[in-house]
Amino acid sequence: MPFQDQEAPRPQQHEPEQQAQDTQPSENRAGTSAKDLEISFRNHMTHTVGRPLENSSILDQYHALAAVVRDRMMDQWLETIENYKQHNVRVLGYLSAEYLLGPHLENALLNLDLRPQMEEALKNVGLDLATIAAEEPEPGLGNGGLGRLAACFMDSLSTLDVPVLGYGLRYEFGIFRQEIVDGWQVEKSDKWLQYGNPWEIGASTSYEVCFFGHTETYNDDQGLLRHRWVPEHTVKGIPYDTPIPGYQTRTVNRLRLWKAAAVDSFDLSIFNSGDYMGAVRQKMESETISKVLYPPDEQIQGKRLRLMQQYFFTSCSLQDMLRLHCMRGEKLSTFHEKWTIQLNDTHPSIGIPELMRLLMDNHNFSWDDAWNVTQKTFGYTNHTLLPEALERWPLDLFGGLLPRHLEIIYEINERFLDDMRSRYPNDDARMRRMSIIGEEGERSVQMAKLAVIGSKAINGVAELHTQLLEQDTLHDYYETFPERFSNKTNGVTPRRWLMLSNPCLVDLINETIGTRWHKDLYGLRGLEHFADDKNFLARWRQAQEGCKSSLAKYISQNLSITVDPASMFDVHVKRIHEYKRQHLKALHILSLYCQIKNGTLKNPTPTTYLFGGKAAPSYVMAKLMIKLVCSVADLVNNDPATRDVMKVVFLPNYSVSLGQHIYPAADLSEQISTAGKEASGTGCMKMMMNGAVTIGTLDGANIEIRKECGEENFFLFGLTAPQIADTLHAGYQPRAYYERSPLLKEVMDGITSGRFFGGNSATFAPLVDNLLSWDPFFVLADFDSYDTVHTQVSDAYRDTNAWGRMSLLNTARSGKFSSDRTIREYCRDIWKLPVG
Ligand SMILES: *Cc1c(COP(=O)(O)O)cnc(C)c1O
């Protein structure tokens, strides 16, 4: 055992190699006692950071501390790899363009069970763990839910001892940092790597990835006609590994992120000829590929660099998996038996023609043999039904960059359509619908169709979403091979989202029902016994108020706004998007403002409305929605008639670490997307676990949350997905709702006239016009229903015990939404992997 028993006397107090002048006791780099950790910390401060402790900055201390924690993972890390090798296990390759990991330090301390000793060790040298941890820059290598899902999955995979290699891109600049200036979003670059990243481990392998050029045919040694790609440009992919420790297990899996570099970083002959800039140009151009994370953007489809990123990381990852497979002494024809690859959305779906190319062009496979391996290897997770988000690449852009892949895609398509023609004779419309090549408008490669045709399994991320995929978006394929489709409702890791972010509540839960729930979240059901215990509910509320006070302090310190921790915290945090309807919430707050001002709302329930989220930099309407929220905040926070009963706060730079602070403080979870638009949502699950009650539409995971917690513990409003479809079909007239609802009319008119915003009527005109004339997300149609249900919420909140009961039951019944459950389902149904 590399771990030494903490109590056992340590025999090597004076190792022979120890320097005589070294007064410190010998270091045990895997030791976990407070004393071991302290010695290790002092050593890393000297030998890794190179600074005297007395003169060290908090950043120095963070780097020394990270090194201490990393040391404690390394034996397990090597052991895990060795273990997989010895048992020749089947491995999951998880391909995702995004990983929204959040800070590592405290998560690693939790999963390795080191926190109390570490706190003590630091106290002994006069330092505070929380202060140092706050110094960690967040690796923001994702935009929102999709990237966060990949991060939660990695935590669950390690916790459940599932062999996985996570693959992605090591963006030098992650998601932008958001500042709010005069109510408007301003984007600042995220230099998360500028002081180095102590969590990553360089590897000695690298791969070459090619672009551009042309294809040709030739005769091989046996005189067979073969195809090959003659590329014009090559870059190198260099892997950086991040250890992902499971919770209370020895498994430490690998997240392997690729950095792009020039094949020859410096061309000396060009340099010697005096062309200094020319000599570094190639290096710069190559490195551009992993420079920056793309924010979601309507125009993203036309961006060649984005397709280069996708191909770059997918090709590196596949080459890596093929190499590891061969190193195990296996034949490539058994690749699909030893590996299963999951595509987190279509971003890595170029992997399908890439695996075909590698097998055929580099390893002499026939088409049929290559297809047999490829099609049995991949699984595809769809994340969205929004048509503008389904990836499609113009043919000339695609063919220019990846000519050989386009050829292969044509052939996949031809063979597939031949097959379909024999199944569905004389059905040209269907053939057009099922073709990978889209013919409407500019001809394009439709990546979702490629992913469906090239995968053994296709899944949606919540029950409703999967149903809509099967019945609508992917209906033709579902009809043809229904057995490939399944649902895998998303989940979130309870380690980060409950245990790490809400220690007060967790202490109470542990004390009440023990700790079995840490690895089986259904164990939280034990709390149901206390739902009518008034004393317990008082303690429950006290724990929640602790979180609310802490967030109130953050708001006061960072935004100079005073909020009352006893008020109801009504929380709407997520990406800013019209379908998520932050503007519905803003309109509702304005309607309350009007009613308080004109005296029709007598005794309002004191409420703090919290918003947070980033808008895509090019998404003008989303940025206007942020401005609207900030303007509403200025109005109600400063009006003497309202400021004591309502506060509105926009929290800038919503991120994982800020989320950890916000979710536990929520009383009410706002999940108010237009029904049928939110594939799943995971923010809703984080809040449910922490005891928030949801107000929501019948959309995404809300439906399943309501089923789990019970209708009586959920506030439902709004049109359903079929009603939305019917309303649209009948010809939706948003203006009719405006004419019919006096409350809505007053709010809309107040914005238009400038009454609320100091006479400014111009700023929000585009938003008002959009809602009145088109309203693609049915804000006006759902307004009255939302208002009515909010009145019920406010009344319910006043009954402290009844609310506490609802809150407790939400936590108690949140077991389904652990990503451990999700991962178990993927392992059982798609990956065919045993779970530890
Ligand atoms: C959970 C999470 C999301 C996803 O939130 P939704 O409410 O599901 O849209 C986005 N960003 C961050 C930082 C998160 O932690």
Side-chain angles (χ1 to χ4, degrees):
M1 286 283 287
F3 271 108
Q4 232 168 344
D5 188 344
Q6 287 176 31
E7 308 303 326
R10 300 196 293 124
Q12 350 64 324
Q13 283 271 314
H14 301 285
E15 287 172 63
E17 67 266 30
Q18 206 172 349
Q19 302 281 319
Q21 67 267 35
D22 189 352
T23 52
Q24 284 172 350
S26 79
E27 183 187 358
N28 172 6
R29 294 184 84 165
T32 57
S33 71
K35 196 68 208 164
D36 285 326
L37 296 172
E38 182 190 330
I39 293 166
S40 191
F41 180 76
R42 288 182 185 277
N43 279 339
H44 275 296
M45 189 54 92
T46 307
H47 301 293
T48 306
V49 179
R51 202 99 60 212
L53 183 56
E54 314 79 67
N55 297 337
S56 62
S57 66
I58 305 178
L59 186 67
D60 294 331
Q61 294 157 10
Y62 160 68
H63 277 275
L65 184 50
V68 173
V69 176
R70 211 182 87 167
D71 280 352
R72 268 80 201 154
M73 290 193 273
M74 288 300 101
D75 286 324
Q76 285 141 293
W77 156 271
L78 295 174
E79 202 178 289
T80 302
I81 295 168
E82 189 52 35
N83 208 4
Y84 294 164
K85 254 191 227 154
Q86 295 251 309
H87 297 96
N88 197 11
V89 293
R90 182 170 159 87
V91 182
L92 165 66
Y94 193 80
L95 263 54
S96 178
E98 301 187 5
Y99 290 89
L100 195 51
L101 295 165
H104 292 284
L105 178 62
E106 291 189 285
N107 189 66
L109 288 175
L110 172 72
N111 282 14
L112 301 171
D113 250 335
L114 287 176
R115 189 171 177 118
Q117 307 93 292
M118 191 63 94
E119 267 178 337
E120 189 187 327
L122 289 171
K123 212 155 84 198
N124 292 343
V125 292
L127 296 174
D128 171 53
L129 174 58
T131 309
I132 299 175
E135 200 68 8
E136 178 172 355
E138 173 169 333
L141 310 184
N143 279 289
L146 175 145
R148 186 53 232 173
L149 184 77
C152 283
F153 278 10
M154 289 304 292
D155 182 83
S156 284
L157 285 159
S158 287
T159 298
L160 297 174
D161 303 318
V162 178
V164 60
L165 264 162
Y167 285 108
L169 273 159
R170 182 178 174 275
Y171 302 105
E172 189 179 331
F173 299 98
I175 179 78
F176 64 86
R177 194 163 46 77
Q178 177 195 55
E179 289 180 8
I180 300 295
V181 177
D182 194 24
W184 295 99
Q185 168 175 297
V186 175
E187 300 97 25
K188 294 285 163 72
S189 70
D190 164 47
K191 304 194 190 86
W192 73 290
L193 284 172
Q194 69 180 329
Y195 300 115
N197 173 10
W199 303 100
E200 65 188 10
I201 298 163
S204 49
T205 39
S206 71
Y207 299 97
E208 293 195 349
V209 178
C210 302
F211 298 97
F212 305 107
H214 63 276
T215 62
E216 61 186 25
T217 51
Y218 69 104
N219 289 310
D220 69 7
D221 305 345
Q222 277 111 52
L224 287 168
L225 185 74
R226 307 199 73 94
H227 295 263
R228 72 179 161 210
W229 179 13
V230 186
E232 247 166 36
H233 183 61
T234 306
V235 300
K236 197 158 69 177
I238 301 170
Y240 288 81
D241 290 348
T242 303
I244 307 286
Y247 177 71
Q248 293 191 343
T249 167
R250 295 189 64 80
T251 298
V252 177
N253 279 314
R254 248 186 296 179
L255 174 61
R256 178 160 274 194
L257 302 178
W258 300 99
K259 173 192 157 88
V263 179
D264 287 311
S265 69
F266 202 78
D267 190 325
L268 211 56
S269 62
I270 305 181
F271 185 81
N272 289 338
S273 74
D275 180 8
Y276 305 125
M277 293 314 287
V280 292
R281 188 173 306 126
Q282 199 200 345
K283 172 175 156 67
M284 279 166 46
E285 281 171 3
S286 300
E287 289 180 356
T288 303
I289 293 177
S290 57
K291 202 50 108 183
V292 59
L293 168 76
Y294 269 100
D297 182 325
E298 280 115 279
Q299 253 86 68
I300 209 159
Q301 329 266 336
K303 299 220 163 115
R304 193 171 68 186
L305 183 60
R306 165 85 168 190
L307 183 56
M308 290 177 86
Q309 288 187 333
Q310 296 182 351
Y311 177 60
F312 167 74
F313 97 86
T314 304
S315 176
C316 287
S317 309
L318 279 170
Q319 292 183 58
D320 197 40
M321 286 183 262
L322 292 180
R323 184 187 63 100
L324 291 169
H325 184 72
C326 293
M327 275 169 54
R328 289 202 273 181
E330 298 277 346
K331 290 212 213 58
L332 284 177
S333 55
T334 63
F335 182 73
H336 58 286
E337 292 167 18
K338 289 293 172 190
W339 291 84
T340 179
I341 298 178
Q342 193 65 26
L343 306 170
N344 193 26
D345 212 329
T346 53
H347 315 140
S349 58
I350 186 69
I352 292 165
E354 172 67 354
L355 183 55
M356 291 294 288
R357 184 188 72 85
L358 290 167
L359 293 176
M360 292 190 301
D361 297 4
N362 293 7
H363 298 282
N364 291 338
F365 273 52
S366 69
W367 179 279
D368 288 330
D369 291 343
W371 184 249
N372 180 52
V373 170
T374 300
Q375 208 269 330
K376 286 178 179 162
T377 295
F378 290 96
Y380 159 53
T381 304
N382 174 285
H383 280 273
T384 180
L385 299 166
L386 297 183
E388 69 270 25
L390 291 174
E391 287 198 299
R392 41 176 71 220
W393 297 102
L395 281 188
D396 48 355
L397 182 152
F398 194 101
L401 191 66
L402 302 169
R404 179 68 182 123
H405 297 78
L406 186 58
E407 242 171 45
I408 292 171
I409 288 171
Y410 278 141
E411 184 153 356
I412 293 174
N413 199 37
E414 236 165 74
R415 287 168 181 254
F416 175 73
L417 292 178
D418 282 346
D419 186 16
M420 290 304 108
R421 248 177 241 114
S422 58
R423 255 187 225 241
Y424 309 104
N426 306 316
D427 192 346
D428 286 352
R430 184 190 290 263
M431 294 308 114
R432 266 197 302 281
R433 292 198 304 269
M434 294 185 87
S435 170
I436 299 172
I437 308 300
E439 307 282 349
E440 327 82 59
E442 195 177 13
R443 295 179 74 215
S444 62
V445 186
Q446 307 194 9
M447 301 307 272
K449 294 179 179 176
L450 174 65
V452 168
I453 292 167
S455 296
K456 62 184 166 175
I458 300 117
N459 74 282
V461 290
E463 283 169 13
L464 174 69
H465 171 233
T466 302
Q467 266 171 32
L468 293 172
L469 279 179
E470 291 174 354
Q471 280 151 31
D472 188 25
T473 316
L474 299 176
H475 179 69
D476 291 313
Y477 307 94
Y478 175 64
E479 213 173 39
T480 310
F481 24 77
E483 70 287 352
R484 289 192 205 167
F485 286 74
S486 73
N487 174 244
K488 298 285 168 281
T489 298
N490 284 166
V492 301
T493 169
R495 268 75 61 185
R496 183 178 291 274
W497 295 112
L498 185 52
M499 299 173 68
L500 196 58
S501 31
N502 202 342
C504 294
L505 200 68
V506 167
D507 284 347
L508 177 59
I509 297 173
N510 288 344
E511 187 192 316
T512 311
I513 59 168
T515 58
R516 197 182 66 85
W517 62 274
H518 294 188
K519 283 192 137 184
D520 174 12
L521 203 66
Y522 286 109
L524 286 175
R525 279 178 187 149
L527 289 171
E528 289 194 28
H529 299 298
F530 302 86
D532 296 305
D533 178 338
K534 298 231 163 66
N535 290 327
F536 184 78
L537 291 180
R539 294 178 68 195
W540 187 261
R541 188 183 172 87
Q542 211 173 23
Q544 286 178 322
E545 280 187 356
C547 299
K548 290 164 75 177
S549 299
S550 157
L551 185 59
K553 192 165 143 204
Y554 175 90
I555 291 169
S556 153
Q557 284 172 351
N558 290 278
L559 302 168
S560 309
I561 300 173
T562 309
V563 306
D564 178 5
S567 65
M568 176 167 73
F569 277 23
D570 175 335
V571 178
H572 195 319
V573 291
K574 48 186 74 235
R575 290 296 298 219
I576 310 293
H577 203 293
E578 287 165 278
Y579 86 79
K580 292 178 184 275
R581 301 201 294 192
Q582 282 86 0
H583 44 352
L584 172 57
K585 173 112 221 90
L587 295 183
H588 173 247
I589 297 170
L590 282 175
S591 83
L592 293 175
Y593 173 80
C594 292
Q595 293 171 77
I596 293 172
K597 291 287 277 185
N598 68 21
T600 48
L601 182 58
K602 293 278 187 292
N603 190 11
T605 301
T607 304
T608 301
Y609 300 94
L610 297 162
F611 290 85
K614 293 173 183 174
S618 68
Y619 191 171
V620 175
M621 188 61 80
K623 289 177 137 178
L624 193 53
M625 287 160 67
I626 293 177
K627 175 66 178 169
L628 177 63
V629 170
C630 293
S631 302
V632 171
D634 281 345
L635 176 73
V636 308
N637 295 353
N638 295 311
D639 191 318
T642 48
R643 66 186 178 201
D644 294 331
V645 288
M646 57 199 301
K647 282 278 160 58
V648 178
V649 180
F650 188 93
L651 290 146
N653 202 38
Y654 179 56
S655 56
V656 171
S657 38
L658 188 54
Q660 286 176 219
H661 210 161
I662 298 173
Y663 291 119
D667 291 305
L668 186 67
S669 161
E670 297 272 354
Q671 306 301 335
I672 62 177
S673 53
T674 314
K677 299 294 181 192
E678 184 74 90
S680 165
T682 50
C684 51
M685 302 169 182
K686 300 168 198 165
M687 284 198 261
M688 181 194 195
M689 267 176 208
N690 283 280
V693 180
T694 305
I695 180 167
T697 49
L698 281 182
D699 198 18
N702 292 353
I703 297 171
E704 291 157 72
I705 285 182
R706 182 163 170 264
K707 210 183 286 170
E708 292 295 305
C709 73
E711 290 172 20
E712 67 286 4
N713 301 307
F714 185 104
F715 292 95
L716 179 68
F717 80 98
L719 297 174
T720 63
Q723 286 168 344
I724 296 268
D726 291 347
T727 310
L728 194 61
H729 193 71
Y732 174 45
Q733 304 267 329
R735 193 172 283 275
Y737 289 85
Y738 158 85
E739 302 289 356
R740 224 180 297 151
S741 164
L743 207 53
L744 179 56
K745 191 162 190 309
E746 184 178 4
V747 169
M748 299 295 280
D749 290 350
I751 300 175
T752 304
S753 69
R755 167 188 155 200
F756 299 135
F757 307 128
N760 174 357
S761 59
T763 304
F764 300 110
L767 193 147
V768 172
D769 291 347
N770 178 289
L771 290 180
L772 286 175
S773 59
W774 185 29
D775 192 13
F777 297 100
F778 297 80
V779 173
L780 302 197
D782 277 348
F783 178 86
D784 275 357
S785 164
Y786 185 56
D787 180 70
T788 305
V789 175
H790 248 291
T791 309
Q792 294 165 17
V793 172
S794 291
D795 292 344
Y797 191 74
R798 286 160 178 269
D799 184 342
T800 310
N801 281 323
W803 186 275
R805 186 176 196 280
M806 279 199 285
S807 163
L808 178 75
L809 289 177
N810 265 276
T811 300
R813 297 171 181 174
S814 64
K816 175 176 177 181
F817 304 106
S818 167
S819 44
D820 296 352
R821 187 269 313 150
T822 315
I823 288 300
R824 284 180 191 279
E825 291 179 4
Y826 276 98
C827 284
R828 185 192 62 203
D829 302 338
I830 298 178
W831 302 334
K832 312 293 181 200
L833 284 167
V835 175

